[in-house]
Amino acid sequence: YRPLSDSEQIKFLKKIRLYIQQQKYNEAVSLCKTLINLALEGLSYYHTYDRLFLGISITMGFVGWMTYVVLVIIKTHTNLTRTVPTNNKKSTVLFYSFAFAGIIIVFFLLIQTCPWTYYIYCLLPVPVWYAVVTEIPVIQDLATNVLSLHIGQCIGFLLVCILGIEILVFSFFYRSALSVGLVVFAGWPVITQLWVQAKTRALIWALLCVLLALFPLMPVVGREPNIPLVIAAGLLTLLISCFSLACLWRSEKKYRSNEDLRVYFYQMLSIALSTYVVSSTHDSLKNKLGLPILNQIISWMTLVSSPLLLLLSSTFLFQRLFSILLSLMSIYLLLSTGYEALFPLMLFGLMFVWINMEQEALQHYGLSLKPKLAVFNFAYAMDITQFRQLHLDDVRRSFFFVFFIVTAFFGTGNIASINSFDPASVYCFLTVFSPFLMGGLLVLKVVIPFVLVSCAFEAVQVTTQLSSKSLFLIVLVISDIMALHFFFLVRDYGSWLDIGTSISHYVLVMSLTIFMMLMNGLAQLLTTQRLELSGRIKHHS
């Protein structure tokens, strides 16, 4: 560190001593302060000495990995490339070139006696970029296809992608960014001319997008309970349930059975009980009478029975999704204290319309004939679905999924800060402090909106004839671009809150892909599996 080399240190100390001898104390103090600042800058210099070098290595690894995933998508899930015979001689030269680069990196790190973690950061890009370079024919085919397109279309597509990802990144700092994104989503049918063939659905889509956009603008769920809103959410769910049940009753008998109607009736009863329990529990606690034992028993019974009732319902698409909503809403109501009780209802309404809009989009682009969703059965989706190749519009589908997952995450602000968790949310289950049990119930509350989005995405995926692998590879690229953003936003200065938040954002986005894969597995279980009771006739589509 040149400003504090040995000679510079001696000069500083000589000057300070001279000023003290000459009784120029102010000058001596000023010079001491300068020396202190230089010492702190020197510490920072040595602490971050390898930052640029390691940052470049990690960035190269990220970019290489994302490029490889994009090439895999293009090669295996699109018709943009042609099969080219591999040149063994070129492959051997490439292999030895990258092996030589790896040896040089190891030698360079050995000379510097670097920690073992440096070897991981620096060597990981080598095999990743080797995998990218071996796909040169795919890159050439891609370049040919891109150059054949109109330059304005390419630039427009890139700008839309960049803007979409930036909105997602901003939403981690400002929840209102989600509202901006949802308002833009409201205009999607108009921009793509979808509204021409589905005016009613486009209007409902726009309305629900605007209604959902209000939630990120509201304050984080606070300490003051608003039970009338929870009761209103329960009554609204019952109203929607009655309407849906009436539609189901009027449908053809081969698509429903008395057992199915009985299951929906029990689920509606569960919603009514949850609404009553929330109201009476908070009234009892307000009057300092404690948690009524009957309410506690009903709450725990609802928590256990709701998933079982869900698995007893029909696997026809809308019937199973309706059952998922009722089962999860009965639990969510018990864990709500305010406006957040309305959030899953609005979110699921939008997801329901999204499934229908995707069918319109599929027909609009002429990718497939429009299937009749009312008779679509999750249980036989894997047997009847012939997976199609990816289309550019499928990138938008994957982005919608990531956006809705982030909206489910920050929609009511429940995860924005640890301070926003309200213990009053679990009062229907227990009032005695039990950190693990309370934590588990709060995590369940957080997960419920994710499950609703994942089940809707599962429906979109199977009805648009796409394999989960192809869509999740696109999701992987989107989440990795976000992770690279947050990698550069990690801070090691400022308050502990700022440092912790920057690190947690990075870890959160890095974990997003794994989390979404788990949610996808759970969604497949909830949509396709059905418990068969003895004596029940199994209905096939």
Side-chain angles (χ1 to χ4, degrees):
Y1 184 62
R2 288 178 185 175
L4 269 185
S5 60
D6 290 345
S7 57
E8 287 295 321
Q9 287 178 44
I10 291 163
K11 279 182 188 177
F12 266 109
L13 293 170
K14 276 184 178 178
K15 274 187 182 180
I16 290 164
R17 287 195 185 102
L18 185 66
Y19 282 140
I20 291 167
Q21 284 172 6
Q22 293 173 352
Q23 296 185 348
K24 294 179 180 178
Y25 301 119
N26 289 334
E27 287 84 347
V29 168
S30 176
L31 208 56
C32 282
K33 285 179 179 177
T34 306
L35 186 60
I36 288 165
N37 289 331
L38 281 172
L40 290 170
E41 285 170 18
L43 283 171
S44 177
Y45 171 79
Y46 282 112
H47 179 66
T48 60
Y49 186 76
D50 290 324
R51 178 173 288 181
L52 181 64
F53 163 64
L54 291 173
I56 290 168
S57 295
I58 292 164
T59 305
M60 281 183 71
F62 259 114
V63 174
W65 170 246
M66 286 186 286
T67 308
Y68 178 68
V69 172
V70 170
L71 292 174
V72 167
I73 293 167
I74 291 162
K75 188 180 177 181
T76 57
H77 298 285
T78 68
N79 296 317
L80 297 175
T81 59
R82 63 185 190 278
T83 52
V84 180
T86 53
N87 188 324
N88 290 328
K89 192 177 179 182
K90 278 187 178 179
S91 298
T92 308
V93 170
L94 270 176
F95 176 77
Y96 283 117
S97 300
F98 276 89
F100 181 68
I103 291 164
I104 287 174
I105 290 166
V106 169
F107 183 68
F108 173 73
L109 294 172
L110 280 170
I111 289 169
Q112 290 200 311
T113 59
C114 293
W116 64 271
T117 49
Y118 281 41
Y119 290 86
I120 297 170
Y121 299 140
C122 298
L123 289 174
L124 200 59
V126 176
V128 171
W129 278 102
Y130 171 70
V132 170
V133 175
T134 52
E135 300 293 349
I136 280 175
V138 180
I139 297 166
Q140 288 170 342
D141 287 344
L142 178 63
T144 307
N145 280 288
V146 168
L147 291 170
S148 66
L149 294 171
H150 192 266
I151 188 113
Q153 286 179 326
C154 294
I155 293 168
F157 178 72
L158 280 171
L159 285 173
V160 168
C161 289
I162 291 164
L163 181 65
I165 289 167
E166 289 305 321
I167 286 173
L168 284 174
V169 171
F170 260 86
S171 68
F172 279 73
F173 302 98
Y174 310 101
R175 288 169 58 221
S176 55
L178 291 172
S179 300
V180 174
L182 285 164
V183 169
V184 173
F185 281 10
W188 165 56
V190 179
I191 297 162
T192 55
Q193 298 294 306
L194 275 176
W195 69 277
V196 175
Q197 68 190 60
K199 288 185 175 68
T200 308
R201 285 175 182 176
L203 189 65
I204 296 167
W205 165 267
L207 180 66
L208 286 170
C209 279
V210 171
L211 286 173
L212 195 65
L214 297 174
F215 285 92
L217 297 174
M218 291 180 187
V220 171
V221 178
R223 303 280 175 188
E224 287 299 318
N226 193 339
I227 302 307
L229 279 177
V230 182
I231 295 165
L235 294 174
L236 187 60
T237 308
L238 283 172
L239 189 68
I240 293 165
S241 304
C242 291
F243 175 75
S244 302
L245 211 59
C247 292
L248 185 62
W249 181 258
R250 289 200 302 270
S251 67
E252 294 178 49
K253 279 198 174 182
K254 64 177 177 178
Y255 301 128
R256 63 171 171 82
S257 66
N258 291 332
E259 288 89 347
D260 294 334
L261 294 174
R262 202 174 293 125
V263 168
Y264 299 134
F265 176 74
Y266 289 144
Q267 288 182 312
M268 287 170 67
L269 184 65
S270 180
I271 292 282
L273 279 172
S274 294
T275 308
Y276 165 76
V277 165
V278 169
S279 176
S280 66
T281 299
H282 282 272
D283 283 344
S284 178
L285 291 171
K286 197 175 180 181
N287 297 325
K288 300 193 170 127
L289 299 171
L291 171 61
I293 190 71
L294 182 63
N295 288 11
Q296 192 173 21
I297 291 166
I298 292 169
S299 297
W300 284 106
M301 281 180 70
T302 303
L303 185 65
V304 174
S305 63
S306 290
L308 295 173
L309 283 172
L310 188 164
L311 294 172
L312 288 170
S313 66
S314 169
T315 51
F316 283 110
L317 189 137
F318 289 142
Q319 292 179 38
R320 178 49 71 97
L321 290 177
F322 173 55
S323 181
I324 288 168
L325 172 68
L326 293 182
S327 283
L328 296 181
M329 268 304 287
S330 60
I331 299 169
Y332 200 86
L333 285 169
L334 292 169
L335 294 165
S336 299
T337 58
Y339 75 84
E340 82 271 23
L342 293 161
F343 179 70
L345 207 56
M346 292 296 171
L347 182 66
F348 185 78
L350 186 61
M351 296 297 98
F352 187 82
V353 181
W354 180 36
I355 296 163
N356 285 278
M357 288 300 290
E358 288 299 353
Q359 291 307 304
E360 299 294 343
L362 210 62
Q363 195 181 23
H364 180 73
Y365 291 108
L367 296 175
S368 175
L369 291 172
K370 186 179 170 184
K372 198 176 179 184
L373 292 179
V375 300
F376 193 91
N377 197 318
F378 277 118
Y380 309 106
M382 294 304 159
D383 302 331
I384 64 171
T385 303
Q386 295 296 315
F387 293 138
R388 61 174 176 85
Q389 296 285 42
L390 283 173
H391 183 258
L392 201 59
D393 200 43
D394 295 318
V395 176
R396 193 254 320 143
R397 282 187 184 92
S398 298
F399 176 77
F400 270 27
F401 174 54
V402 176
F403 188 91
F404 288 135
I405 283 285
V406 174
T407 303
F409 210 74
F410 291 113
T412 57
N414 280 334
I415 321 236
S417 166
I418 196 73
N419 297 324
S420 67
F421 284 108
D422 188 1
S425 298
V426 298
Y427 283 171
C428 289
F429 293 91
L430 71 162
T431 51
V432 179
F433 183 71
S434 175
F436 293 107
L437 202 55
M438 290 170 88
L441 289 167
L442 288 169
V443 166
L444 177 64
K445 182 184 177 181
V446 164
V447 166
I448 284 171
F450 298 146
V451 176
L452 292 174
V453 174
S454 299
C455 290
F457 188 60
E458 178 69 16
V460 167
Q461 185 184 296
V462 295
T463 55
T464 56
Q465 299 172 315
L466 281 169
S467 68
S468 56
K469 183 186 172 185
S470 59
L471 284 177
F472 266 95
L473 285 173
I474 300 170
V475 168
L476 181 65
V477 173
I478 294 168
S479 60
D480 278 343
I481 294 168
M482 288 171 66
L484 193 57
H485 268 77
F486 286 112
F487 172 70
F488 289 114
L489 292 172
V490 170
R491 295 169 63 174
D492 63 346
Y493 58 90
S495 68
W496 281 112
L497 179 64
D498 292 339
I499 295 166
T501 303
S502 69
I503 293 168
S504 65
H505 282 166
Y506 176 60
V507 173
L508 202 64
V509 177
M510 287 294 288
S511 311
L512 193 63
T513 309
I514 299 165
F515 178 73
M516 284 192 288
M517 285 176 75
L518 291 171
M519 284 292 107
N520 185 55
L522 181 61
Q524 280 187 3
L525 176 74
L526 293 177
T527 53
T528 58
Q529 298 304 310
R530 185 178 187 180
L531 294 175
E532 292 292 341
L533 297 178
S534 57
R536 172 182 278 192
I537 299 166
K538 190 170 182 178
H539 293 270
H540 295 270
S541 62

